[in-house]
Amino acid sequence: EQAIEMMSYLISIYPDSEFHYYYLGTLFQKSENFDAAKSNFNKALEINPEYEAAKQALVKLNKAEILTN
């Protein structure tokens, strides 16, 4: 919770940082808020379509979602 708040604050200061959106996505993923995780991974990719970590995180999240449905 505190880490999510801190990352959200950093995004408010650095809104064009794909890293911060990616990291926020990983925090949401760990707290099992998968919709918010996806949203943040996608935002990271909007900023930098070549950001490999966000691409991989989104693929893993989508695969996990398919397996659980």
Side-chain angles (χ1 to χ4, degrees):
E1 178 84 24
Q2 212 170 19
I4 289 172
E5 289 177 21
M6 177 58 79
M7 199 51 56
S8 296
Y9 171 72
L10 288 171
I11 287 171
S12 73
I13 297 171
Y14 305 106
D16 295 328
S17 171
E18 68 272 20
F19 171 77
H20 292 113
Y21 282 102
Y22 164 75
Y23 192 71
L24 184 57
T26 63
L27 293 171
F28 278 123
Q29 187 175 8
K30 287 179 184 175
S31 66
E32 298 185 1
N33 186 340
F34 301 118
D35 289 338
K38 273 189 194 180
S39 176
N40 281 280
F41 293 146
N42 281 318
K43 182 64 179 175
L45 290 170
E46 281 178 33
I47 295 167
N48 179 358
E50 302 303 315
Y51 192 37
E52 199 60 38
K55 286 182 188 179
Q56 290 176 8
L58 204 49
V59 166
K60 285 181 185 177
L61 192 58
N62 286 330
K63 282 183 184 177
E65 195 171 75
I66 289 169
L67 292 174
T68 58
N69 288 333

